[in-house]
Amino acid sequence: SGASDELCFRGNIVSKSGTAAVKALTVYAGKASASPLDLVKVSGSPSGCALKIDCNFENYADFVIEDSIKFEVSGNFSGNGRFKASSSEMKFGGNIDFSSTEFDANGCTLTFAASDSNPKIFTAKSDGSTQLCNLSISAGTNVESSSSFSLSGNWNNENLAGGFKASAGTVNFSDSADSVSVKGNNEFYVLKFENSGTTVKTVRFDSGKIQKINGKIISLGNESGRIKLTSDAAAPSYSDSSTWWKIDLPSGNVPAQYEFTYTDVEYSESANDIAHDWGSSVAESVEASTKNWFYRHFYWYGTIDTKWATPGNWSTNAASYAASSFFPPYLRGSSEITITKNDTNVLTLEDSE
């Protein structure tokens, strides 16, 4: 039932085979409240059949997609119902508003595939609880977001000219997968990785592509379950930076020590110096495979003696310098500072007098 330009369904929609195509579909529970909701179930056989909606889709029901049905909406998606899919592929051509939707589609791939270059807006729940599995952005499609949401799978951006831009919010790769990939050039606000397991979580970034981060990067591994940030190149080389992944993080937007733990970084070049006193659990896992990541300031503290060469006289805490009573003169021979790499002296500071 419904008006001349829409179809309203109460009950189950069953597609036995092929493609179920409708001009307009509104799933409505009888009133615009979240509860109680009617159950609308879409199921199909054989695998690969599709439900296509050539318009906007408003869902106010308990909408369930079963089997391996492909679900495609050319317009916008909104509503305050529940949207559940088990192993389906979902493709959207317009804006997606999940701010009032209980989205339950772990295992699905959500694809933005617009027919024009106008940015499509993705809005998640305000509390950041929206959980996606795989997210894909088709070539020529631009997506903008200011929301926080999580992914348990991979990020695939095929729009080489951009594709994703976040003005706020956090994209969090939660800790349910041991290996994830981040493809394409992306502009995140906060990019976050988590691992609470007991095996290494490997994050493979698209080699040669740039991850622009306007806020900060957070990586939370643990002692037995580290996080490795690396390139997806088949054979990355420390001597060939074209096989590295790139990060553009403003030099003043470095994470606090507690926000970046038990993490290995390799085959990566930062556009700016990440001037940070990384904790001891953060490492360059392959010698000379990073640029501008590991950078430290040392300040004179002088708690041991007056010799420059005594390590305990130096601190990476700027407040230590202000607390020191004096800065001693540099004396040739008695307090030389030698910098070594692979047990080879590469630099010795000497008095000019």
Side-chain angles (χ1 to χ4, degrees), residues 161-178:
F164 181 78
K165 182 177 182 179
S167 58
T170 298
V171 176
N172 178 26
F173 287 79
S174 55
D175 60 5
S176 57
D178 292 336

Side-chain angles (χ1 to χ4, degrees), residues 173-222:
F173 287 79
S174 55
D175 60 5
S176 57
D178 292 336
S179 178
V180 298
S181 64
V182 181
K183 297 283 191 180
N185 298 308
N186 301 286
E187 187 171 343
F188 299 102
Y189 189 75
V190 175
L191 181 60
K192 182 178 180 180
F193 302 96
E194 292 181 291
N195 185 13
S196 61
T198 57
T199 57
V200 174
K201 180 186 184 75
T202 302
V203 182
R204 292 181 172 87
F205 292 92
D206 213 347
S207 60
K209 302 300 189 299
I210 299 175
Q211 310 307 318
K212 183 179 175 66
I213 303 174
N214 294 319
K216 58 185 175 181
I217 183 171
I218 300 173
S219 181
L220 302 175
N222 66 85

Side-chain angles (χ1 to χ4, degrees), residues 205 227-231 236-247 260 263-274 278 282-296 341:
F205 292 92
I227 294 175
K228 178 184 287 188
L229 307 180
T230 188
S231 168
S237 170
Y238 71 89
S239 61
D240 182 7
S241 61
S242 68
T243 63
W244 296 12
W245 66 278
K246 318 294 183 180
I247 181 172
F260 209 90
T263 298
D264 299 312
V265 184
E266 62 183 28
Y267 304 115
S268 178
E269 178 179 355
S270 173
N272 304 291
D273 285 332
I274 304 179
W278 297 113
V282 178
E284 181 186 52
S285 52
V286 175
E287 181 72 22
S289 67
T290 65
K291 183 177 179 181
N292 298 333
W293 269 90
F294 295 88
Y295 180 83
R296 289 182 172 90
K341 179 178 180 181

